Amino acid sequence: MEISVVGSSDFVTGFRLAGIRKVYETDTTGVEPVVRAVLEDKDVGILVMHNDDVSKLPESLKASLNASVQPTVVTLGGSGEGSTNLRDKIKQAVGVDLWK
């Protein structure tokens, strides 16, 4: 399983420097088609996105991201009003709270 990052060039630069190979810049393309392609990639276990990019997606795709176990979607930055934290996502994916 691999980590995938989708977002603007400013957002993905640090992940590239950290050695993440599946990095998709959305400056020239729309976010939606890239996210749909990553969701279909069976090698991706974790999808990292900025909260602002998630908020731009259609409601049906946001619902798919929130319900997705593989890949598990982790959102960072932005307002974060509709996001869940990493602990909740791990609990959803694994089925137990690992911090208890």
Side-chain angles (χ1 to χ4, degrees):
M1 291 290 153
E2 293 192 49
I3 297 173
S4 179
V5 182
V6 174
S8 67
S9 60
D10 292 339
F11 181 73
V12 302
T13 299
F15 293 99
R16 246 196 203 115
L17 292 172
I20 305 296
R21 289 179 278 165
K22 292 196 175 216
V23 175
Y24 303 96
E25 287 186 28
T26 57
D27 292 332
T28 57
T29 61
V31 175
E32 184 180 351
V34 176
V35 171
R36 289 189 189 279
V38 170
L39 287 175
E40 293 177 9
D41 188 346
K42 299 299 181 196
D43 291 335
V44 175
I46 298 173
L47 169 59
V48 180
M49 292 183 65
H50 195 278
N51 276 326
D52 294 343
D53 289 335
V54 173
S55 67
K56 295 175 187 173
L57 297 172
E59 289 299 321
S60 61
L61 187 52
K62 281 193 248 185
S64 295
L65 291 177
N66 286 333
S68 177
V69 174
Q70 185 179 351
T72 297
V73 180
V74 177
T75 57
L76 304 172
S79 59
E81 59 192 41
S83 69
T84 58
N85 65 28
L86 181 57
R87 180 178 180 174
D88 291 339
K89 293 303 262 184
I90 292 172
K91 184 178 176 183
Q92 177 186 3
V94 177
V96 296
D97 190 353
L98 298 176
W99 278 274
K100 286 188 174 183

